[in-house]
């Protein structure tokens, strides 16, 4: 059985990229709930398009080349 987790981050592009790792969630829906919770908070409400949810399989290498 494959286990999948969802990584949530918020990155604002600009002079200095600002990336915040916000959490690891068991479902995409839980990650989306976190976005809904944070969307009216300072640091997030002015850049709602900068949230990113990535899906990862546990115990699997995700980057194989380009080192």
């Amino acid at each position: 059985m494959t286990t999948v987790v969802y990584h949530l981050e918020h990155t604002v592009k600009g002079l200095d990229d600002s990336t915040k790792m916000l959490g690891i969630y068991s479902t995409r829906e839980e990650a989306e709930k976190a976005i809904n919770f944070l969307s009216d908070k300072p640091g997030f409400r002015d850049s709602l398009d900068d949230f990113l949810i990535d899906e990862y399989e546990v115990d699997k290498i995700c980057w194989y080349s380009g080192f």
Side-chain angles (χ1 to χ4, degrees):
M1 181 176 160
T2 301
T3 301
V4 175
V5 295
Y6 298 86
H7 170 260
L8 174 61
E9 71 179 29
H10 186 261
T11 301
V12 178
K13 300 289 184 189
L15 292 177
D16 295 318
D17 287 356
S18 171
T19 298
K20 298 173 186 89
M21 195 288 235
L22 301 172
I24 304 293
Y25 297 90
S26 58
T27 65
R28 178 172 293 279
E29 291 78 18
E30 289 298 318
E32 290 169 353
K33 285 182 191 177
I35 292 171
N36 288 333
F37 174 78
L38 294 167
S39 65
D40 67 344
K41 307 289 186 273
F44 300 105
R45 65 178 164 229
D46 295 330
S47 52
L48 296 177
D49 292 334
D50 295 323
F51 285 102
L52 176 65
I53 300 172
D54 283 321
E55 180 179 306
Y56 291 98
E57 286 185 40
V58 174
D59 298 329
K60 181 179 177 184
I61 294 173
C62 299
W63 187 356
Y64 291 94
S65 63
F67 305 106

